[in-house]
Amino acid sequence: MSINSNIIRITKTLSKEAAEVLYQAFRDYPLHQAFIPDDTERKMKSRHFLDFFIRYAITYGEAYATSSKLEGVGLWIP
């Protein structure tokens, strides 16, 4: 098993960029579309919600990215 040494902890300065990564990953998720059917509104609201969620994970849990390029984001909240 190899360990990826590029993994970084997400900080508040990266939260908006990380929110964009999560938005792109889940923008076509059916439940996401059901809650906010309008594409423009979903894009705006989702980014704000995800930014809040990431900041919450930074403060009360864990927030990591696969590298400084933020190809992938993982959040853990107890």
Side-chain angles (χ1 to χ4, degrees):
M1 173 172 29
S2 66
I3 296 176
N4 184 347
S5 62
N6 296 329
I7 293 174
I8 64 163
R9 184 174 281 231
I10 297 173
T11 61
K12 290 182 181 180
T13 59
L14 293 173
S15 67
K16 289 197 186 309
E17 292 176 61
E20 179 63 25
V21 171
L22 290 177
Y23 169 73
Q24 293 298 327
F26 293 105
R27 71 179 176 182
D28 295 327
Y29 187 63
L31 190 58
H32 199 187
Q33 291 178 339
F35 282 130
I36 311 171
D38 181 68
D39 289 338
T40 305
E41 186 180 2
R42 183 171 57 250
K43 187 176 185 178
M44 181 188 66
K45 288 183 177 181
S46 294
R47 286 177 175 160
H48 289 297
F49 170 76
L50 291 167
D51 184 47
F52 169 81
F53 196 60
I54 290 166
R55 287 173 178 269
Y56 188 88
I58 290 168
T59 304
Y60 299 107
E62 303 286 333
Y64 292 96
T66 52
S67 76
S68 60
K69 295 178 184 176
L70 301 176
E71 299 96 340
V73 173
L75 306 174
W76 291 266
I77 299 172

PDB file of all heavy atoms in Angstrom, residues 32-44:
ATOM      1  N   HIS A  32     -30.015  16.812  -5.535  1.00  0.00           N
ATOM      2  CA  HIS A  32     -29.560  18.206  -5.590  1.00  0.00           C
ATOM      3  C   HIS A  32     -30.443  18.997  -6.563  1.00  0.00           C
ATOM      4  O   HIS A  32     -30.872  20.112  -6.274  1.00  0.00           O
ATOM      5  CB  HIS A  32     -28.108  18.205  -6.035  1.00  0.00           C
ATOM      6  CG  HIS A  32     -27.357  19.434  -5.733  1.00  0.00           C
ATOM      7  ND1 HIS A  32     -26.095  19.645  -6.179  1.00  0.00           N
ATOM      8  CD2 HIS A  32     -27.672  20.551  -5.036  1.00  0.00           C
ATOM      9  CE1 HIS A  32     -25.664  20.822  -5.778  1.00  0.00           C
ATOM     10  NE2 HIS A  32     -26.607  21.382  -5.080  1.00  0.00           N
ATOM     11  N   GLN A  33     -30.730  18.406  -7.706  1.00  0.00           N
ATOM     12  CA  GLN A  33     -31.586  19.051  -8.697  1.00  0.00           C
ATOM     13  C   GLN A  33     -33.026  19.160  -8.213  1.00  0.00           C
ATOM     14  O   GLN A  33     -33.719  20.120  -8.525  1.00  0.00           O
ATOM     15  CB  GLN A  33     -31.531  18.289 -10.015  1.00  0.00           C
ATOM     16  CG  GLN A  33     -30.196  18.408 -10.699  1.00  0.00           C
ATOM     17  CD  GLN A  33     -30.129  17.603 -11.983  1.00  0.00           C
ATOM     18  OE1 GLN A  33     -30.903  16.675 -12.187  1.00  0.00           O
ATOM     19  NE2 GLN A  33     -29.202  17.960 -12.849  1.00  0.00           N
ATOM     20  N   ALA A  34     -33.480  18.192  -7.442  1.00  0.00           N
ATOM     21  CA  ALA A  34     -34.852  18.229  -6.931  1.00  0.00           C
ATOM     22  C   ALA A  34     -35.044  19.355  -5.918  1.00  0.00           C
ATOM     23  O   ALA A  34     -36.086  20.019  -5.907  1.00  0.00           O
ATOM     24  CB  ALA A  34     -35.208  16.890  -6.297  1.00  0.00           C
ATOM     25  N   PHE A  35     -34.041  19.585  -5.077  1.00  0.00           N
ATOM     26  CA  PHE A  35     -34.144  20.648  -4.073  1.00  0.00           C
ATOM     27  C   PHE A  35     -34.076  22.039  -4.702  1.00  0.00           C
ATOM     28  O   PHE A  35     -34.754  22.958  -4.266  1.00  0.00           O
ATOM     29  CB  PHE A  35     -33.057  20.516  -3.013  1.00  0.00           C
ATOM     30  CG  PHE A  35     -33.330  19.462  -1.983  1.00  0.00           C
ATOM     31  CD1 PHE A  35     -32.362  18.527  -1.664  1.00  0.00           C
ATOM     32  CD2 PHE A  35     -34.551  19.400  -1.334  1.00  0.00           C
ATOM     33  CE1 PHE A  35     -32.617  17.553  -0.708  1.00  0.00           C
ATOM     34  CE2 PHE A  35     -34.807  18.431  -0.387  1.00  0.00           C
ATOM     35  CZ  PHE A  35     -33.835  17.502  -0.074  1.00  0.00           C
ATOM     36  N   ILE A  36     -33.217  22.176  -5.710  1.00  0.00           N
ATOM     37  CA  ILE A  36     -33.051  23.483  -6.378  1.00  0.00           C
ATOM     38  C   ILE A  36     -33.101  23.234  -7.892  1.00  0.00           C
ATOM     39  O   ILE A  36     -32.062  23.042  -8.532  1.00  0.00           O
ATOM     40  CB  ILE A  36     -31.726  24.163  -5.980  1.00  0.00           C
ATOM     41  CG1 ILE A  36     -31.542  24.173  -4.465  1.00  0.00           C
ATOM     42  CG2 ILE A  36     -31.673  25.581  -6.538  1.00  0.00           C
ATOM     43  CD1 ILE A  36     -30.176  24.619  -4.002  1.00  0.00           C
ATOM     44  N   PRO A  37     -34.288  23.219  -8.477  1.00  0.00           N
ATOM     45  CA  PRO A  37     -34.435  22.874  -9.901  1.00  0.00           C
ATOM     46  C   PRO A  37     -33.772  23.867 -10.872  1.00  0.00           C
ATOM     47  O   PRO A  37     -33.269  23.454 -11.919  1.00  0.00           O
ATOM     48  CB  PRO A  37     -35.941  22.852 -10.126  1.00  0.00           C
ATOM     49  CG  PRO A  37     -36.563  22.834  -8.780  1.00  0.00           C
ATOM     50  CD  PRO A  37     -35.563  23.388  -7.825  1.00  0.00           C
ATOM     51  N   ASP A  38     -33.775  25.145 -10.561  1.00  0.00           N
ATOM     52  CA  ASP A  38     -33.214  26.147 -11.464  1.00  0.00           C
ATOM     53  C   ASP A  38     -31.688  26.081 -11.454  1.00  0.00           C
ATOM     54  O   ASP A  38     -31.050  26.203 -10.399  1.00  0.00           O
ATOM     55  CB  ASP A  38     -33.688  27.545 -11.044  1.00  0.00           C
ATOM     56  CG  ASP A  38     -33.144  28.619 -11.959  1.00  0.00           C
ATOM     57  OD1 ASP A  38     -33.562  28.646 -13.132  1.00  0.00           O
ATOM     58  OD2 ASP A  38     -32.304  29.417 -11.493  1.00  0.00           O
ATOM     59  N   ASP A  39     -31.089  25.910 -12.646  1.00  0.00           N
ATOM     60  CA  ASP A  39     -29.630  25.745 -12.749  1.00  0.00           C
ATOM     61  C   ASP A  39     -28.843  26.928 -12.184  1.00  0.00           C
ATOM     62  O   ASP A  39     -27.871  26.741 -11.450  1.00  0.00           O
ATOM     63  CB  ASP A  39     -29.214  25.533 -14.209  1.00  0.00           C
ATOM     64  CG  ASP A  39     -29.621  24.168 -14.739  1.00  0.00           C
ATOM     65  OD1 ASP A  39     -29.830  23.256 -13.924  1.00  0.00           O
ATOM     66  OD2 ASP A  39     -29.711  24.029 -15.971  1.00  0.00           O
ATOM     67  N   THR A  40     -29.256  28.140 -12.533  1.00  0.00           N
ATOM     68  CA  THR A  40     -28.538  29.337 -12.074  1.00  0.00           C
ATOM     69  C   THR A  40     -28.628  29.486 -10.562  1.00  0.00           C
ATOM     70  O   THR A  40     -27.626  29.746  -9.887  1.00  0.00           O
ATOM     71  CB  THR A  40     -29.108  30.596 -12.761  1.00  0.00           C
ATOM     72  OG1 THR A  40     -29.045  30.400 -14.173  1.00  0.00           O
ATOM     73  CG2 THR A  40     -28.325  31.833 -12.376  1.00  0.00           C
ATOM     74  N   GLU A  41     -29.820  29.286 -10.040  1.00  0.00           N
ATOM     75  CA  GLU A  41     -30.018  29.385  -8.590  1.00  0.00           C
ATOM     76  C   GLU A  41     -29.253  28.281  -7.864  1.00  0.00           C
ATOM     77  O   GLU A  41     -28.638  28.518  -6.824  1.00  0.00           O
ATOM     78  CB  GLU A  41     -31.519  29.292  -8.279  1.00  0.00           C
ATOM     79  CG  GLU A  41     -31.853  29.518  -6.837  1.00  0.00           C
ATOM     80  CD  GLU A  41     -33.354  29.426  -6.582  1.00  0.00           C
ATOM     81  OE1 GLU A  41     -34.122  29.159  -7.513  1.00  0.00           O
ATOM     82  OE2 GLU A  41     -33.734  29.612  -5.416  1.00  0.00           O
ATOM     83  N   ARG A  42     -29.285  27.059  -8.421  1.00  0.00           N
ATOM     84  CA  ARG A  42     -28.577  25.931  -7.802  1.00  0.00           C
ATOM     85  C   ARG A  42     -27.079  26.208  -7.746  1.00  0.00           C
ATOM     86  O   ARG A  42     -26.424  25.948  -6.740  1.00  0.00           O
ATOM     87  CB  ARG A  42     -28.865  24.641  -8.562  1.00  0.00           C
ATOM     88  CG  ARG A  42     -28.218  23.423  -7.934  1.00  0.00           C
ATOM     89  CD  ARG A  42     -28.662  22.106  -8.544  1.00  0.00           C
ATOM     90  NE  ARG A  42     -28.430  22.025  -9.973  1.00  0.00           N
ATOM     91  CZ  ARG A  42     -29.385  22.025 -10.894  1.00  0.00           C
ATOM     92  NH1 ARG A  42     -30.647  22.122 -10.544  1.00  0.00           N
ATOM     93  NH2 ARG A  42     -29.085  21.923 -12.165  1.00  0.00           N
ATOM     94  N   LYS A  43     -26.536  26.766  -8.815  1.00  0.00           N
ATOM     95  CA  LYS A  43     -25.101  27.057  -8.860  1.00  0.00           C
ATOM     96  C   LYS A  43     -24.713  28.046  -7.766  1.00  0.00           C
ATOM     97  O   LYS A  43     -23.749  27.840  -7.032  1.00  0.00           O
ATOM     98  CB  LYS A  43     -24.746  27.615 -10.238  1.00  0.00           C
ATOM     99  CG  LYS A  43     -23.288  27.812 -10.473  1.00  0.00           C
ATOM    100  CD  LYS A  43     -23.053  28.266 -11.918  1.00  0.00           C
ATOM    101  CE  LYS A  43     -21.590  28.349 -12.236  1.00  0.00           C
ATOM    102  NZ  LYS A  43     -21.368  28.740 -13.630  1.00  0.00           N
ATOM    103  N   MET A  44     -25.483  29.115  -7.622  1.00  0.00           N
ATOM    104  CA  MET A  44     -25.179  30.141  -6.630  1.00  0.00           C
ATOM    105  C   MET A  44     -25.363  29.614  -5.198  1.00  0.00           C
ATOM    106  O   MET A  44     -24.469  29.723  -4.368  1.00  0.00           O
ATOM    107  CB  MET A  44     -26.078  31.356  -6.837  1.00  0.00           C
ATOM    108  CG  MET A  44     -25.808  32.482  -5.859  1.00  0.00           C
ATOM    109  SD  MET A  44     -27.016  33.802  -5.984  1.00  0.00           S
ATOM    110  CE  MET A  44     -28.498  32.990  -5.422  1.00  0.00           C
TER     111      MET A  44
END
